[in-house]
Amino acid sequence: MLDGRWASIRDEVRAQIDASPLLRPAHGLPVDEHRARVMEQARMVSQTRSARLFFPREYGGEADIGGALTAFETIALVDLSLLVKIGVQYGLFGGVIRRLGTRRHHERYLRAAMTMELPGCFAMTETGHGSDVQSIRTTATYVPPRQEYVIHTPDDEARKDYIGNVARDGRLAAVFAQLITGGERRGVHVLLVPIRDERGRPCPNVRIEDCGHKGGLNGVDNGRLWFNQVRVPREALLDRFGSVAPDGTYTSPIANETRRFFTMLGTLVSGRVSVAGAGLSAAKLALAIAIRYGSTRRQFRAPGRDEEVILLDYLQHQRRLLPALATTYALHFAQQALVVSLHDAGDGDSPDDEEQRRLETQAAGLKAISTWHSTQTIQTCREACGGAGYLSINRLTELRADTDIFTTFEGDNTVLLQLVAKGLLTNFRDEFGSMDTVAMVRYVADQVVGAVLERTAARSLAQWIADAMPRSEEGTNLLDREYHAYLLAWREKHVLEAAARRLRKLMANDGDAFSAFNAVQDHLLLAARAHVERVVLEHFTAAIDRCEDAGVKSLLNSVCDLHVMASLERDRGWFMEHGQLSAARAKAVITNVNRLCGELRPHAQSLVDAFGIPDVLLPELLRPVS
Ligand SMILES: Cc1cc2nc3c(=O)[nH]c(=O)nc-3n(C[C@H](O)[C@H](O)[C@H](O)COP(=O)(O)OP(=O)(O)OC[C@H]3O[C@@H](n4cnc5c(N)ncnc54)[C@H](O)[C@@H]3O)c2cc1C
């Protein structure tokens, strides 16, 4: 059930992990040794199907993006540095060539990227601009007589920073730069620029610096790059969305510069999906460790009992771990659905604009919510293992340190949630000026209804929302799934609608868009979160509907109940403020969290065993004391 459509690939990677001493976690290695080991592991992975899955068939690959993402998720359990190293090589470097390049780039580079013969980098971020990529300042100026580009770093703020594979191994960098032809700026484009020769020496006029020791992921060699008037041939431009003729004439199939930029970035959506999946893998591993430990570790004796109490029999221990486990299940099914959609839509390159936008929004939202969930869950698991959780050999501190940055790279979570909110507002942007409030409320409600209607079972729920009628608590079972769906959909609708109303008011009388959006930023972030949480619940519910085994189905239903009750408990203030939960019902939510924790306690071990984490990756604290 959890392994999903690409179960055989998960099993293949698990078998490789079992069979390869090199694919074992190692802790406390000095940075140089860690980097060398991760590179060796990455080379080993490059000889397996996991690498081939990501690449097109013409170049020796298998063109199976869903399979590739599933393989990466499983490899993440070994060492997150390894995941990031291959993510940079295949997903970012290989991905940008495949997505933004044309045939000559594919023929020349893809096979070498896949086999790791050509270690590459994805050099987008600069010291001065990370989230705001459109404002980067590296330039690529075309010089017609020589048919070359000159790549230049104007100052230290424009140096490339934090770039994976730069400090030690990378030889070719995909450099994001402002393209200039005929004296005109054409916006951000990507060019392939050699940074080291075959013997590993920096290329002329390229300066390379090591970022040094980091807060985690020390098996990855992040570094900085400066280009001093570096010359590259005309073919170096990845020219799928913008090309330059020998005489310097610029053409693009997308006239609008901002649209072109977002189309280019949109094709790289798989990176975000991969980071979300790896974050969830880390949370699963941490939960497997903490729950297995909590199932045997004893502390304090209850009066009149012979034995000391097992940690997981304490209510508070259950409350710390089991709701986090339930939400991990919810996010797992949402992630699985996203991987399937991405695969079926041709890896983020859907010809259907609306589908492509939907994928980008879902990937951004899920990446933010999943990686935040992972960092919180891992910390909880560390605490739940007491002192043993703090020893490096037991993996939790490394998982915590390595996943920390997942909330920032591949798009900072806060910035991503703003993208999600803007995506939600875009649907009625055109009507914005002319709509009165009632029409706008109706419009937003229709959007939510449209999404909810996809699930036939929720038809009556859709009707409630269309009528904008809050549902009375009377006669409604707190554990009714349609009621859960209703509450989350109502919250999404209400928050979006209120944000839209505020924006409209602020922008009336020629208010400027920046100030208006800034004034409602918190509101927009809440709308995005509400949207993602509603979508996550839909995917969890759909997965349960698909389940054919009655026992598993019933267990998953309880897990889903706990996920929802814990979310309502966390947000009960909001629901009470907005008249959706009475004080009595809010208290009932708390009682239900306690009850469900007790009910799921006997199944906790099975629920983490179901993640299928190879035993060789589990730490020492789970082995019996001799
Ligand atoms: C280990 C590591 C590996 C990396 N690998 C690569 C790589 O291989 N290639 C690459 O190109 N880059 C890489 N990066 C860079 C990474 O993608 C950036 O750090 C990230 O995009 C954030 O940019 P920034 O650091 O400039 O932060 P900033 O954009 O300056 O953000 C700082 C803070 O400001 C907040 N903020 C920013 N804008 C807004 C706004 N509009 N509203 C509200 N809040 C806002 C953010 O939420 C954040 O909390 C890596 C970074 C690290 C640390």
Side-chain angles (χ1 to χ4, degrees):
M1 180 83 207
L2 288 176
D3 280 1
R5 182 157 146 191
W6 288 275
S8 64
I9 287 176
R10 278 192 213 271
D11 280 341
E12 208 174 302
V13 178
R14 286 178 185 130
Q16 279 157 12
I17 293 170
D18 271 337
S20 320
L22 183 60
L23 297 182
R24 297 282 183 278
H27 63 91
L29 295 178
V31 170
D32 286 349
E33 262 179 63
H34 194 181
R35 286 177 177 180
R37 181 180 168 86
V38 165
M39 187 58 179
E40 204 188 334
Q41 291 172 328
R43 286 196 190 286
M44 182 181 162
V45 172
S46 75
Q47 303 307 310
T48 67
R49 193 164 164 224
S50 299
R52 292 195 294 276
L53 288 165
F54 193 76
F55 288 84
R57 293 183 198 285
E58 301 95 289
Y59 310 104
E62 296 188 20
D64 180 352
I65 182 70
L69 290 168
T70 307
F72 291 175
E73 232 178 84
T74 316
I75 290 171
L77 297 164
V78 172
D79 181 344
L80 289 163
S81 285
L82 171 60
L83 180 274
V84 171
K85 187 85 175 174
I86 60 173
V88 167
Q89 177 69 19
Y90 305 139
L92 295 179
F93 174 64
V96 77
I97 295 175
R98 187 158 57 93
R99 292 270 156 240
L100 304 189
T102 46
R103 187 145 201 103
R104 63 167 170 250
H105 304 109
H106 298 168
E107 283 174 356
R108 186 157 174 205
Y109 299 113
L110 283 185
R111 196 178 287 271
M114 181 177 74
T115 58
M116 277 268 178
E117 252 170 87
L118 180 64
C121 319
F122 179 88
M124 181 158 82
T125 305
E126 295 177 357
T127 305
H129 294 96
S131 299
D132 180 9
V133 179
Q134 255 186 308
S135 299
I136 57 164
R137 295 191 18 255
T138 301
T139 51
T141 310
Y142 186 66
V143 185
R146 296 202 306 257
Q147 296 199 22
E148 283 176 347
Y149 295 95
V150 175
I151 313 294
H152 190 63
T153 306
D155 52 54
D156 281 354
E157 284 276 289
R159 69 184 181 188
K160 295 293 171 187
D161 212 344
Y162 321 108
I163 311 299
N165 244 354
V166 156
R168 180 184 186 272
D169 298 313
R171 288 199 2 239
L172 186 67
V175 176
F176 284 67
Q178 301 289 350
L179 179 67
I180 302 169
T181 61
E184 260 187 69
R185 294 176 87 93
R186 312 290 179 172
V188 175
H189 286 67
V190 185
L191 298 96
L192 296 176
V193 185
I195 59 166
R196 283 194 182 83
D197 64 19
E198 289 190 357
R199 291 172 56 194
R201 293 171 305 197
C203 293
N205 301 319
V206 175
R207 186 174 141 206
I208 300 178
E209 200 175 272
D210 195 329
C211 284
H213 191 268
K214 303 187 293 286
L217 296 177
N218 278 300
V220 185
D221 52 325
N222 296 90
R224 306 188 176 106
L225 288 170
W226 288 256
F227 303 101
N228 182 12
Q229 314 279 355
V230 173
R231 288 155 59 169
V232 292
R234 195 171 67 90
E235 296 72 40
L237 177 72
L238 297 179
D239 56 354
R240 176 172 169 202
F241 292 110
S243 52
V244 175
D247 68 354
T249 309
Y250 179 81
T251 48
S252 168
I254 305 172
N256 180 288
E257 190 182 309
T258 301
R259 237 196 91 211
R260 180 162 64 234
F261 172 75
F262 282 106
T263 304
M264 285 163 72
L265 287 196
T267 64
L268 298 169
V269 67
S270 57
R272 273 180 198 154
V273 179
S274 179
V275 166
L280 287 175
S281 288
K284 290 172 193 168
L285 180 53
L287 284 162
I289 295 169
I291 285 175
R292 287 183 188 197
Y293 185 68
S295 304
T296 53
R297 170 88 177 160
R298 292 172 185 275
Q299 207 66 202
F300 295 100
R301 194 182 304 275
R305 291 217 199 147
D306 292 342
E307 282 189 314
E308 293 164 286
V309 180
I310 291 180
L311 286 185
L312 211 50
D313 287 336
Y314 288 110
L315 171 67
Q316 191 55 21
H317 213 72
Q318 295 166 6
R319 270 187 153 272
R320 285 155 86 187
L321 295 175
L322 300 186
L325 177 63
T327 297
T328 304
Y329 264 71
L331 292 169
H332 170 92
F333 287 117
Q335 171 77 10
Q336 207 173 55
L338 180 60
V339 170
V340 167
S341 302
L342 186 72
H343 181 92
D344 292 345
D347 183 10
D349 211 1
S350 173
D352 174 351
D353 263 8
E354 210 173 296
E355 171 63 6
Q356 178 67 18
R357 249 211 336 262
R358 193 188 70 82
L359 269 176
E360 284 167 31
T361 304
Q362 298 307 325
L366 202 56
K367 186 268 181 185
I369 299 303
S370 293
T371 55
W372 269 326
H373 169 74
S374 297
T375 54
Q376 278 172 16
T377 298
I378 294 166
Q379 174 64 20
T380 300
C381 291
R382 203 297 295 149
E383 291 174 25
C385 292
Y390 200 61
L391 301 190
S392 300
I393 197 167
N394 291 326
R395 303 205 63 186
L396 292 165
T397 48
E398 191 173 79
L399 288 177
R400 183 181 58 190
D402 288 347
T403 50
D404 177 336
I405 194 66
F406 282 26
T407 61
T408 300
F409 68 22
E410 283 287 350
D412 173 85
N413 284 357
T414 301
V415 176
L416 288 182
L417 282 190
Q418 288 180 68
L419 284 183
V420 173
K422 284 184 182 161
L424 298 175
L425 288 171
T426 300
N427 291 335
F428 58 97
R429 184 185 52 198
D430 298 340
E431 288 83 350
F432 213 59
S434 57
M435 261 189 192
D436 64 23
T437 309
V438 175
M440 191 149 62
V441 169
R442 170 67 51 170
Y443 191 90
V444 178
D446 285 349
Q447 301 302 302
V448 179
V449 172
V452 172
L453 269 179
E454 286 165 16
R455 284 193 55 239
T456 335
R459 219 168 267 282
S460 55
L461 153 70
Q463 197 52 51
W464 298 333
I465 296 168
D467 295 343
M469 287 280 289
R471 194 176 184 194
S472 135
E473 285 180 1
E474 253 170 69
T476 314
N477 182 348
L478 185 55
L479 294 179
D480 180 281
R481 193 74 65 230
E482 282 200 1
Y483 172 61
H484 300 163
Y486 161 77
L487 280 178
L488 296 200
W490 189 88
R491 180 177 59 176
E492 176 181 350
K493 174 189 91 79
H494 182 87
V495 175
L496 241 187
E497 170 199 309
R501 213 173 25 235
R502 284 179 65 201
L503 271 175
R504 188 166 179 272
K505 202 167 151 197
L506 288 161
M507 280 162 73
N509 309 323
D510 291 334
D512 78 287
F514 171 79
S515 306
F517 270 90
N518 202 30
V520 301
Q521 203 176 27
D522 57 332
H523 219 135
L524 290 173
L525 288 169
L526 183 60
R529 182 180 269 280
H531 169 75
V532 179
E533 289 185 1
R534 193 257 304 162
V535 171
V536 167
L537 178 63
E538 277 178 18
H539 287 305
F540 199 172
T541 309
I544 297 172
D545 288 348
R546 281 196 307 271
C547 181
E548 286 168 4
D549 180 306
V552 175
K553 196 175 189 130
S554 152
L555 180 58
L556 286 177
N557 258 317
S558 301
V559 174
C560 190
D561 285 343
L562 179 56
H563 161 67
V564 176
M565 287 301 114
S567 311
L568 289 182
E569 186 185 42
R570 182 196 64 207
D571 294 338
R572 65 188 187 277
W574 190 93
F575 284 104
M576 288 173 77
E577 270 169 21
H578 292 83
Q580 290 295 304
L581 275 186
S582 64
R585 189 154 267 221
K587 284 182 189 159
V589 167
I590 300 172
T591 313
N592 268 286
V593 172
N594 288 349
R595 184 184 57 75
L596 286 160
C597 278
E599 249 176 63
L600 285 171
R601 155 72 181 98
H603 302 284
Q605 174 95 32
S606 318
L607 287 167
V608 290
D609 286 350
F611 293 141
I613 298 167
D615 279 347
V616 291
L617 300 182
L618 292 170
E620 187 132 291
L621 94 168
L622 299 179
R623 305 204 177 113
V625 182
S626 55

